[in-house]
Amino acid sequence: MRQSSDSLSHHLTNNSVVCLMAPTASGKTALAYELYDTGCYELISVDSALIYRDMNIGTAKPTVNELSRYPHHLVDIVDPMQSYSVAEFVSDVARLIDDCHKNGKIPLLVGGTMMYYMALLDGLSPVPDSDDSVRARVEQWRQDEGIGALYDYLGKVDLISHQRLNATDTQRITRAVEVYLQTNIPMSGWQRQPKQALAQNPNHQWHALAVMPDRSWLHERIEQRLDIMWKEGLIAEVIGLLEKYPLTPNLPSMRCVGYRQVLEYLVQIKHPIFEQLHLDKAQFYDAFQELQHPADKNIKSDGTLKPQLQSCISDTQTEALACQQMQNKALYATRQLAKRQYTWLRKITQLPTVSVGNPMISGLTDNKGYLKSYDMKIKTFTTMAQVRDYL
């Protein structure tokens, strides 16, 4: 499939924006490389884990050589202790789309963070960014009294968000409390306000291509990818991150699938890394205080361990059991991630599309009250080969 930049598919125009949306381990990256080689595209990462520097193995980040040959925007842009909001992502993508078009290229947005795609295609509520002082105040409150105190407070000031959120959803509860303290308006109030999406820009033609492969095939791919990550040294990578950065267990980077399970394992075996002066040992131990003993299902009927990868730190039976439990939890968490990605994809495929020349849908008005039109095509596929044929 070799194309020149002036021989685009009949589906695309020079102002096109292509979104390649698919669950983890489904082959998005390989197809993105193939499309890049046509000379028609620039690659924009839509992955909330690839943004972090030094998080390479657990994120399945392209290698240095691959990134040199296939440059990606929005990869390695923040350190693991930094935050990067959805609003910042949308702002960066808006700028990059214009840059790509100025370069005579089609922006190819590729990745598996469906919340990012939903923000681009359906829009964001105008919730303001958190003030640093408010964020610090709420974080101190959480550390002093626990997430339960914040959740109880949310029930008093924002009952709708309180009922919608799980009592253990630290990130969203904290954010909702921050928003209320900063604006005196509940998060649910902000979320009821009208949204504006990049995909509603009438100057662009958006192609949202959703790939939903067979589940059993994907589960095999997920297991194979995790095996590779353990062999390549994911545990050593996490230890290296803890050595280099003043991380805490509730940072978004440390909640990434794989990294979370390794942190839990390191706490469970009481790894000496947590004695580093720049780390708050108590925070890590508190975060995983309800650790269970490694499940008995990891032991065969004769009392020996089931086979596991040689990727862990100790050969003692207790630590080996903890290692096996970590690997099982990471596999389960990754499958659950894929399940959530399928749910997001189904929501995305149900978004309304409006073709140019047919703008008569209630509510689609610009800031002057005029009806507007935009051009967004949403297509569903089961294989990457079908997407290749479409493009």
Side-chain angles (χ1 to χ4, degrees), residues 18-30:
V18 178
C19 298
L20 178 55
M21 308 176 295
T24 185
S26 57
K28 300 182 295 294
T29 301

Side-chain angles (χ1 to χ4, degrees), residues 366-379:
D366 61 22
N367 57 9
K368 295 182 180 179
Y370 296 112
L371 283 171
K372 65 182 180 181
S373 63
Y374 62 89
D375 194 0
M376 181 169 69
K377 296 174 171 60
I378 300 177
K379 302 290 183 181

Side-chain angles (χ1 to χ4, degrees), residues 52-283:
Y52 297 113
R53 303 182 186 99
D54 297 319
M55 291 176 58
N56 304 322
I57 297 173
T59 62
K61 186 180 295 178
T63 66
V64 172
N65 288 338
E66 287 174 324
L67 289 173
S68 176
R69 180 174 177 183
Y70 302 103
H72 288 59
H73 298 289
L74 304 185
V75 170
D76 289 336
I77 58 173
V78 297
D79 288 337
M81 69 278 195
Q82 295 176 303
S83 61
Y84 181 73
S85 68
V86 180
E88 288 175 299
F89 168 79
V90 172
S91 176
D92 285 342
V93 168
R95 169 180 53 81
L96 290 168
I97 287 173
D98 288 341
D99 290 346
C100 292
H101 286 154
K102 288 175 183 176
N103 294 336
K105 304 291 185 180
I106 300 299
L108 176 60
L109 282 65
V110 57
T113 301
M114 302 306 162
M115 181 171 62
Y116 281 4
Y117 282 119
M118 185 64 85
L120 295 171
L121 301 172
D122 190 43
L124 283 175
S125 299
V127 184
D129 291 338
S130 291
D131 179 85
D132 288 343
S133 62
V134 174
R135 183 184 294 121
R137 174 183 163 195
V138 174
E139 174 60 19
Q140 189 62 53
W141 184 6
R142 187 195 65 78
Q143 291 184 29
D144 291 343
E145 300 184 35
I147 192 62
L150 272 65
Y151 187 64
D152 291 343
Y153 176 76
L154 194 62
K156 299 175 184 177
V157 301
D158 187 357
L159 186 59
I160 294 175
S161 295
H162 180 269
Q163 294 174 338
R164 178 175 57 85
L165 296 175
N166 188 293
T168 59
D169 193 339
T170 300
Q171 183 177 11
R172 290 182 174 84
I173 293 170
T174 301
R175 174 67 172 139
V177 171
E178 291 172 358
V179 167
Y180 181 79
L181 291 177
Q182 182 175 329
T183 67
N184 208 33
I185 298 173
M187 174 70 86
S188 57
W190 285 105
Q191 291 173 336
R192 285 194 295 268
Q193 296 188 25
K195 296 184 290 186
Q196 182 69 36
L198 281 188
Q200 294 172 0
N201 184 338
N203 297 318
H204 297 155
Q205 181 190 80
W206 283 68
H207 297 261
L209 312 180
V211 185
M212 290 184 277
D214 175 75
R215 293 287 186 96
S216 59
W217 175 85
L218 186 66
H219 284 179
E220 290 181 8
R221 297 261 301 185
I222 287 171
E223 189 164 1
Q224 292 168 5
R225 173 180 280 186
L226 276 171
D227 287 349
I228 292 172
M229 289 179 180
W230 300 126
K231 291 174 181 176
E232 289 184 344
L234 177 55
I235 295 172
E237 177 172 274
V238 175
I239 294 171
L241 291 168
L242 292 168
E243 289 176 340
K244 184 174 181 179
Y245 297 102
L247 300 172
T248 62
N250 291 310
L251 285 167
S253 61
M254 294 296 99
R255 286 196 293 265
C256 291
V257 171
Y259 293 88
R260 192 70 177 173
Q261 289 72 38
V262 174
L263 278 182
E264 181 178 339
Y265 164 72
L266 294 174
V267 167
Q268 191 170 2
I269 66 170
K270 298 179 173 58
H271 193 275
I273 187 62
F274 298 111
E275 304 300 331
Q276 296 275 341
L277 294 179
H278 64 272
L279 298 176
D280 186 341
K281 179 180 178 180
Q283 282 198 47

Side-chain angles (χ1 to χ4, degrees), residues 27-69:
K28 300 182 295 294
T29 301
L31 179 57
Y33 291 172
E34 190 174 349
L35 293 171
Y36 181 87
D37 280 337
T38 68
C40 299
Y41 301 90
E42 283 190 41
L43 305 181
I44 301 175
S45 172
V46 185
D47 192 304
S48 60
L50 292 186
I51 63 173
Y52 297 113
R53 303 182 186 99
D54 297 319
M55 291 176 58
N56 304 322
I57 297 173
T59 62
K61 186 180 295 178
T63 66
V64 172
N65 288 338
E66 287 174 324
L67 289 173
S68 176
R69 180 174 177 183

